[in-house]
Amino acid sequence: MKEESVRQIIALVSDKLPEDKVMVLKNRLAEQADEKYDEIMCANLYNPTHILLFSIFLGGFGIDRFMIGDTGIGIGKLLLGWATCGIWPLIDIFISYKKAKEKNFNKLMMLL
């Protein structure tokens, strides 16, 4: 892929990926054909900031986990989050933010 295309993709998705994985993505993009550009640019990625906000305000109901596709954990949080006196939803604020970034990275790797 052209260097300019790689820079555009990295600029678009770097805030939605784990920091240590950006260089891995950049190297994989450089190896790809130019036809993958449109597919990657149109990829539907989770916004970690939105996931963080949902986790803070609605995390006790498991909404953050439902949004990133972890339905089982979302149901567990909805049903049992109160039993942990709010500790599970509090800890999960940080975990779901990182999980959204990891899922974005995995989704892009699957496209490549």
Side-chain angles (χ1 to χ4, degrees):
M1 194 175 292
K2 296 176 188 173
E3 183 65 29
E4 179 64 28
S5 300
V6 171
R7 274 189 267 145
Q8 287 176 352
I9 292 170
I10 294 298
L12 180 70
V13 301
S14 64
D15 61 329
K16 297 178 181 177
L17 299 175
E19 293 175 15
D20 59 330
K21 307 283 181 148
V22 174
M23 288 304 293
V24 174
L25 178 65
K26 186 175 182 179
N27 293 335
R28 283 287 294 272
L29 287 171
E31 300 169 356
Q32 299 300 312
D34 290 332
E35 292 79 34
K36 291 281 187 176
Y37 178 78
D38 290 332
E39 187 177 351
I40 294 167
M41 289 297 281
C42 294
N44 189 15
L45 301 177
Y46 303 113
N47 188 335
T49 306
H50 292 161
I51 299 298
L52 179 66
L53 291 173
F54 275 100
S55 186
I56 290 170
F57 294 110
L58 297 171
F61 300 111
I63 302 297
D64 54 338
R65 289 299 187 145
F66 288 120
M67 288 180 66
I68 60 175
D70 291 342
T71 308
I73 295 175
I75 291 171
K77 232 172 121 174
L78 177 63
L79 298 176
L80 301 173
W82 62 272
T84 62
C85 299
I87 294 173
W88 183 5
L90 182 65
I91 293 172
D92 205 41
I93 289 171
F94 305 104
I95 294 172
S96 60
Y97 178 77
K98 291 179 184 178
K99 184 78 168 186
K101 287 187 169 198
E102 283 293 326
K103 285 196 174 227
N104 287 338
F105 176 74
N106 292 337
K107 187 181 289 188
L108 289 175
M109 287 293 117
M110 293 296 291
L111 290 174
L112 299 175

